[in-house]
C-alpha cells in the first residue's frame, strides 16, 4: 500500500463564510511574507525526516497565496521524492502563470481548483473573493501551462440556491471538461459566519441537487467516491490512499497523519508550530491509538465511500454481521462478487448507513 504526504498551508486571502478549516486571513502581504517564509522553513525541516512517499497533497488554506519564493523553496524540498501524484490546491484569485510554471517545473501533476459556484452573486454570499470570470481565466491558464489533470470543487445547497442555479453550475463545469470534479453539500459548522447568522440548509433540496449531479456527471465521469467523479485513470490517488486506510504523513500546523494504527494531529497554531520545530520538539498535539474494533469500523466506513470498489465481505467477519444482512436484504447494500457496495439509490444517505456499523 502506498504512503501519502499531506502538507498544510494555513493562509487564505479572506475567510469564507462557511469555512471551519484551520486557516487564517493574511491580507497584509508584507507581514505575511515574513510569517510564510518562517512557516515554510518549518515545513521543510519536518519534510527532511521523511524518506519516501508515493503521493503528495499540498492543501490548506490556500497554498497559492504563498509568495513565489516560499513556494519555490517548499517545492524544492519535495524533489527528493519520486511521487507518482503531486497535487496542489489553488484558488483562482491567487494563481498566476508564473506560479503554474513553477509547479510544472517541480513536477506537480495535479491541480485542484476551488470554484464552488459559477454564479457570482452566490460566490459573494459564500464569502469567496473570486468570480466566475477569474476562475475561467485561471483554468485556461492552467491548461496553457500544461496541466492535464485538474479537479474542480463545487459546493451545493446554499438556501438561496435553486435547483436551476445548480443545474447551470454543473453544465458550466461540464463545458470546461476538467478531469475530476468534487461536490460538497454546504454544511453549517460551529464558529463560522454562517453559524453566527443562523444559515439553514435544506436536506431535501440538497438531496435533489445531488441526484441532479449524479444524472449529469455519470454520463461522462466515473462516480468513484460519494463526492468525487473522475475520467478514466484520473481518480485522486492521494485520496484513494486515505479511503483505503493507507498511511500518510501530516506536515504543518493543524495537519493530521496516520501511521501504523496511530492517528495524530499537529498543533493548530502557526506560531506554536514554528516554535516547536525550531526547538526540535515534536509538533504533535494529539495522538490516538486506533484499537482493532475501531480499525474494523474505519475500514468499513471508508471502504463504503468507494462506490466501485466497496469493502471485501470478509471485513465484516464477526463484526456487525446482523446489520450487514439487514441492509443486503432490503437492498440498501449490494454484494458484488464478495465486495459490499452501497446501492446507487442510497448513496446520498451513505453517512447514516455507515453510522449503523459503529462499534
Ligand atoms: S479558501 Fe478554502 S480554506 Fe480558505 S477560507 Fe475559503 S474555504 Fe476555507
Amino acid at each position: 500500500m502506498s504512503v501519502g504526504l499531506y502538507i498544510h498551508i494555513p493562509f487564505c486571502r479572506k475567510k469564507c463564510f462557511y469555512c471551519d478549516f484551520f486557516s487564517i486571513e493574511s491580507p497584509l502581504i508584507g507581514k505575511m511574507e515574513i510569517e510564510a517564509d518562517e512557516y515554510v522553513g518549518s515545513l521543510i525541516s519536518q519534510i527532511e525526516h521523511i524518506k519516501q512517499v508515493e503521493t503528495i497533497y499540498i492543501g490548506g488554506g490556500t497554498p497559492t497565496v504563498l509568495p513565489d519564493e516560499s513556494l519555490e523553496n517548499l517545492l524544492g524540498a519535495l524533489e527528493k521524492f519520486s511521487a507518482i501524484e503531486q497535487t496542489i490546491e489553488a484558488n483562482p484569485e491567487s494563481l498566476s502563470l508564473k506560479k503554474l510554471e513553477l509547479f510544472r517545473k517541480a513536477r506537480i501533476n495535479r491541480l485542484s481548483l476551488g470554484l464552488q459556484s459559477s454564479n457570482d452573486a452566490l460566490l459573494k454570499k459564500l464569502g469567496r473573493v473570486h468570480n466566475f470570470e477569474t476562475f475561467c481565466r485561471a483554468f485556461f491558464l492552467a491548461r496553457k501551462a500544461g496541466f492535464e489533470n485538474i479537479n474542480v470543487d463545487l459546493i451545493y445547497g446554499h438556501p438561496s440556491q435553486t435547483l436551476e442555479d445548480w443545474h447551470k453550475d454543473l453544465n458550466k463545469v461540464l463545458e470546461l471538461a476538467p478531469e475530476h470534479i468534487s461536490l460538497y453539500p454546504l454544511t453549517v459548522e460551529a464558529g463560522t459566519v454562517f453559524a453566527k447568522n443562523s444559515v439553514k440548509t435544506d436536506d431535501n433540496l440538497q438531496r435533489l441537487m445531488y441526484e441532479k449531479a449524479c444524472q449529469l456527471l455519470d454520463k461522462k465521469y466515473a462516480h468513484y467516491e460519494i463526492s468525487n467523479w473522475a475520467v478514466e485513470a484520473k481518480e485522486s490517488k492521494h485520496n484513494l490512499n486515505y479511503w483505503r486506510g493507507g498511511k500518510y504523513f501530516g506536515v504543518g500546523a493543524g495537519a493530521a497523519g496516520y501511521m501504523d494504527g496511530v492517528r495524530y494531529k499537529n498543533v493548530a497554531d502557526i506560531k506554536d508550530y514554528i516554535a516547536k520545530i525550531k526547538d526540535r520538539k515534536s509538533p504533535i498535539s494529539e495522538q490516538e491509538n486506533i484499537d482493532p474494533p475501531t480499525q474494523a469500523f474505519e475500514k468499513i466506513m471508508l471502504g463504503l465511500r468507494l462506490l466501485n470498489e466497496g469493502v471485501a465481505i470478509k471485513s465484516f467477519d464477526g463484526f456487525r454481521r446482523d446489520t450487514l444482512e439487514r441492509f443486503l436484504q432490503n437492498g440498501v447494500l449490494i454484494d458484488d462478487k464478495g465486495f459490499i457496495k452501497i446501492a446507487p439509490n442510497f448513496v446520498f444517505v451513505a453517512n447514516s448507513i455507515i453510522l449503523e456499523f459503529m462499534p
Side-chain angles (χ1 to χ4, degrees):
M1 203 178 266
S2 69
V3 177
L5 166 61
Y6 174 75
I7 301 168
H8 192 68
I9 309 295
F11 305 106
C12 286
R13 189 160 288 174
K14 181 177 165 283
K15 195 79 185 163
C16 302
F17 299 155
Y18 56 90
C19 179
D20 75 334
F21 297 134
F22 172 57
S23 72
I24 57 156
E25 279 187 20
S26 292
L28 303 168
I29 290 300
K31 180 179 169 281
M32 188 201 140
E33 275 173 3
I34 300 165
E35 200 167 33
D37 207 40
E38 266 194 290
Y39 182 73
V40 168
S42 306
L43 294 177
I44 294 171
S45 303
Q46 249 204 303
I47 291 165
E48 273 167 6
H49 298 289
I50 300 172
K51 288 204 175 69
Q52 185 54 285
V53 291
E54 280 73 40
T55 62
I56 298 172
Y57 194 104
I58 307 171
T62 309
T64 42
V65 298
L66 283 178
D68 292 354
E69 206 179 311
S70 301
L71 272 170
E72 206 167 353
N73 291 341
L74 174 62
L75 297 175
L78 302 176
E79 269 172 16
K80 65 174 183 173
F81 301 119
S82 44
I84 50 169
E85 182 187 90
Q86 298 197 63
T87 304
I88 192 159
E89 282 182 351
N91 278 334
E93 71 283 353
S94 55
L95 202 54
S96 63
L97 190 57
K98 194 171 170 212
K99 279 195 167 85
L100 286 159
E101 283 168 350
L102 198 74
F103 300 160
R104 295 290 300 154
K105 214 173 115 215
R107 295 180 288 126
I108 298 281
N109 54 9
R110 188 168 181 271
L111 190 71
S112 182
L113 276 173
L115 167 60
Q116 316 315 346
S117 173
S118 65
N119 180 319
D120 290 346
L122 180 55
L123 285 171
K124 266 201 181 137
K125 286 180 192 157
L126 294 171
R128 303 289 304 195
V129 285
H130 69 274
N131 59 23
F132 187 54
E133 195 189 330
T134 320
F135 173 85
C136 290
R137 206 177 307 131
F139 185 89
F140 291 117
L141 220 50
R143 287 293 195 219
K144 190 176 165 193
F147 277 93
E148 293 174 349
N149 192 359
I150 303 179
N151 169 58
V152 173
D153 278 345
L154 282 176
I155 285 183
Y156 60 95
H158 183 276
S160 72
Q161 190 182 28
T162 64
L163 201 53
E164 289 70 40
D165 294 334
W166 176 234
H167 198 159
K168 275 187 205 152
D169 277 351
L170 292 165
N171 277 329
K172 288 200 174 160
V173 171
L174 284 169
E175 276 168 27
L176 292 168
E179 286 70 28
H180 192 284
I181 301 173
S182 300
L183 309 180
Y184 300 103
L186 178 71
T187 51
V188 179
E189 306 291 346
T192 61
V193 172
F194 278 174
K196 248 175 255 159
N197 295 343
S198 308
V199 168
K200 295 269 177 290
T201 56
D202 175 346
D203 284 355
N204 206 31
L205 180 64
Q206 290 194 339
R207 184 191 180 118
L208 292 174
M209 288 177 164
Y210 185 76
E211 284 168 2
K212 172 63 76 188
C214 294
Q215 269 170 24
L216 287 178
L217 303 189
D218 288 3
K219 289 181 194 155
K220 294 192 174 160
Y221 295 81
H223 189 184
Y224 73 103
E225 197 270 345
I226 293 172
S227 307
N228 290 282
W229 283 256
V231 298
E232 200 184 341
K234 295 288 168 74
E235 296 89 357
S236 162
K237 293 181 178 64
H238 183 83
N239 289 338
L240 277 173
N241 181 49
Y242 289 146
W243 296 314
R244 288 174 180 154
K247 300 174 185 180
Y248 55 96
F249 294 98
V251 166
Y258 179 67
M259 280 287 151
D260 304 319
V262 179
R263 179 162 304 118
Y264 63 87
K265 195 170 174 215
N266 294 335
V267 61
D269 181 287
I270 296 169
K271 284 197 168 60
D272 203 5
Y273 172 77
I274 293 172
K276 287 210 155 64
I277 297 288
K278 238 184 216 162
D279 297 345
R280 296 177 186 276
K281 287 185 184 153
S282 166
I284 294 174
S285 61
E286 292 167 34
Q287 194 161 308
E288 186 192 359
N289 289 319
I290 310 298
D291 59 28
T294 310
Q295 278 186 30
F297 168 66
E298 289 189 353
K299 200 173 171 63
I300 291 168
M301 178 182 77
L302 295 168
L304 284 177
R305 298 191 64 90
L306 295 171
L307 305 180
N308 297 333
E309 287 181 24
V311 190
I313 196 161
K314 64 176 169 28
S315 307
F316 294 85
D317 281 353
F319 179 79
R320 300 276 159 178
R321 208 63 204 206
D322 51 333
T323 309
L324 175 64
E325 294 304 334
R326 180 163 49 89
F327 279 145
L328 286 173
Q329 267 167 23
N330 60 19
V332 171
L333 295 178
I334 302 166
D335 180 353
D336 182 7
K337 299 186 191 99
F339 285 86
I340 304 299
K341 301 175 183 177
I342 298 181
N345 286 348
F346 295 93
V347 173
F348 184 72
V349 288
N351 288 340
S352 47
I353 298 168
I354 290 165
L355 280 178
E356 299 245 0
F357 288 97
M358 247 177 120

